[in-house]
Each structure stands twice: as structure tokens, then as C-alpha cells.
Amino acid sequence: MLIILQLLGVGGIRASHFTMYDGKISGNVDSETGVGGVWADTMIMHGGEITDNRMMSTGVGGVRANHFTMYDGEISGNHGATALAAGGVRANTMIMHGGEIINNSVAGYNGGGVNANHFTMYDGRIRGNTAGGELGGGVFAEQFIMHDGEISGNISGNSVSMIGDGGGVGTNHFIMTGGEIRENNAGRNGGGIHLGIPGMQAPTSMNITGGTIRNNIASNGGGAYVHHNNQHKPDLTIANEAIFTGNVALNGLFIDNDLAALNPQVAPGVISVLNTHAFTNYDINASNGS
């Protein structure tokens, strides 16, 4: 069994290709710029634990990889700091088939659990992570595809600071065919999902054909919040099979009759939201902005 504990100043492991089947990488501290736990070009995780690693300055707490695939294991209690960071995982492309990413945090940036350019989730759990930046307590990704699994919180949930958006997920492109996004909390907009990365003049899209978004809390858009920039209008598809229930918006029950997505502020590009959904601010809301 591999056990790497308490390496100060250099973090845990640096490798070109790293495969982990078991063992524990824990308690490492990187005082420079990099990663507390594992830094690799390609990493595959079949099991084991990467826990309680942290950055003293700029970088990632748990795992930093160009390509990261997770089948099982646990990434927990890691702490990242400032720009281009993450608490649990920072990757260019990430595929999650199982395992848990829990109770990680990042100070001053996005993605308490996962920060990725392209993230596909087939199963697993992302729970109880915290982002101290403005977006994505659980997941921050340019593109996120969720087929199954769970993005959820405990009492504190996947919470972001009072100015934060997207307690569960912050992304520009979101596809959901199954799984649950539940009990996440955002201080500002989008308790479950925040579509649109503020400051990026890029197209956005959300396609939800299945799964459940429930019991999330935010000031606006308890379940989901659609933010669009001045150059591109969002493309939205929400099918009958998608379930929005029990979400709460602290600013009140503002009713956009039939579809919040048809609010003139949203001015969607392509929209297909079936009329069985009568969305309110509790479930989905939107505003214009840059």
C-alpha cells in the first residue's frame, strides 16, 4: 500500500503518468505554486485516498492533471488557493465513473470540488465542497455533462460566499440526462446550477433531459440561474423528464408565468422548454449582464 504523508514545501507526487489503485496521499503542503497532493499529465484513480493536502500560496489542493479519470476512491479535505486553482481536482479533461470528491475547499477562486475545462460524470458523489471565489461550490467547468451521480451538500452544502453563484455547478455548457443536484447553496444566484461564467463573452447552453434538481437555495434561481452576456444569448432545452422540486429563492416567489426562460431579460437564442414546467424564481431565473 502506498502511503505518502506530510511532505512540506514540495507537495506529494509529481509524475508524467500516475495510476493509483490503493493507498493514501495525505497531509502534504506545497509552499510554492503547484499542487498539494498529485501533479501529473495523465492520472487514473481506481481507489485509495487523497486527503488533507493543501496549498500555502497559489495552486490546487488535491489533484492537478491534464487528463484525469476517476473510477473509485476518495478525494477529500484538500484546500487550494487563488487563481487557476481548485480544492479537490483541477483538470483539462476529467471523466468520473465513481468515487467521492467531498469536503474540499478553495480560497479566492472557483471550483471547491472540481475545476475542469471539460468534465463528464457517469457516477460518483461530489459533496460538501466550498468555493471562496464567485462560482461553482461543487463543480466549475467550461463544459459539464452529467449522466448520473450526485452533486449534493450536507447542512452547509456546496456553498459559495455571499457574492457567489452556482452552489452546485457553475458552467457555460451543461447537459444533464440523469442524477441529482440537491441541497446546494449559493449566496447570490443559482443554488443548484449557474449557467454562464461572468466576464466571459462566450455562447452558453443548457440541455436537461432527465435527472432531479431539488432542495437548492440561492437569493435568485434556487434551482438554476441563467446569466447571459451582451454578445450571446443562451440556448435552453428542458424536457418533461427533468424534475425541479423543493428549491428556494430567498428574494421571493417571482412568477414568470409558464416559463421563467421566456422573460425578456433572458432573450434566449434557441429555446425548447416543455409547457409542463411552470417555472418560478424558486426553480429558474435569469438576468442580462456582462
Side-chain angles (χ1 to χ4, degrees):
M1 176 182 289
L2 171 70
I3 300 177
I4 297 179
L5 302 174
Q6 296 180 336
L7 296 178
L8 301 179
V10 297
I13 292 176
R14 297 193 181 192
S16 177
H17 303 280
F18 182 60
T19 302
M20 185 172 184
Y21 291 96
D22 199 355
K24 188 172 185 177
I25 301 171
S26 180
N28 302 289
V29 178
D30 193 327
S31 60
E32 299 176 357
T33 299
V35 61
V38 178
W39 192 349
D41 181 61
T42 301
M43 178 173 172
I44 302 173
M45 186 173 184
H46 294 277
E49 299 177 54
I50 300 173
T51 64
D52 301 318
N53 303 285
R54 63 186 299 110
M55 288 299 306
M56 298 298 291
S57 57
T58 299
V60 181
V63 174
R64 181 174 177 179
N66 192 23
H67 306 285
F68 179 55
T69 303
M70 185 175 186
Y71 291 97
D72 204 351
E74 179 180 310
I75 299 173
S76 65
N78 302 286
H79 179 74
T82 64
L84 301 178
V89 178
R90 173 72 177 98
N92 181 23
T93 60
M94 177 173 170
I95 301 174
M96 186 174 185
H97 295 277
E100 293 187 310
I101 299 174
I102 56 177
N103 299 330
N104 302 282
S105 62
V106 61
Y109 203 63
N110 307 321
V114 174
N115 183 330
N117 292 341
H118 305 281
F119 178 30
T120 302
M121 184 176 184
Y122 292 99
D123 206 347
R125 177 183 292 180
I126 299 172
R127 174 173 58 85
N129 303 285
T130 302
E134 64 177 12
L135 193 62
V139 174
F140 174 75
E142 167 66 18
Q143 180 187 67
F144 180 33
I145 302 174
M146 184 176 183
H147 294 293
D148 205 344
E150 176 186 310
I151 298 174
S152 68
N154 47 37
I155 295 174
S156 61
N158 287 331
S159 60
V160 295
S161 64
M162 288 303 294
I163 62 169
D165 300 321
V169 177
T171 183
N172 269 346
H173 299 282
F174 181 57
I175 297 174
M176 184 177 185
T177 63
E180 274 197 319
I181 298 175
R182 62 180 176 86
E183 298 165 6
N184 303 289
N185 187 308
R188 188 165 55 185
N189 301 318
I193 304 162
H194 188 283
L195 181 71
I197 299 174
M200 288 187 65
Q201 300 294 322
T204 59
S205 62
M206 182 164 66
N207 187 334
I208 303 177
T209 59
T212 300
I213 299 167
R214 66 180 177 92
N215 299 347
N216 301 284
I217 300 175
S219 294
N220 291 296
Y225 188 89
V226 179
H227 172 98
H228 75 90
N229 56 64
N230 294 324
Q231 295 183 13
H232 301 279
K233 301 174 182 180
D235 295 338
L236 308 175
T237 301
I238 301 177
N240 281 336
E241 292 76 11
I243 298 172
F244 284 75
T245 183
N247 301 293
V248 175
L250 299 179
N251 280 347
L253 186 63
F254 303 141
I255 297 176
D256 294 323
N257 206 7
D258 290 337
L259 304 173
L262 292 179
N263 187 308
Q265 288 182 301
V266 184
V270 177
I271 183 165
S272 174
V273 184
L274 298 184
N275 59 16
T276 55
H277 293 293
F279 286 121
T280 68
N281 188 30
Y282 277 25
D283 285 323
I284 185 168
N285 201 348
S287 69
N288 190 7
S290 58

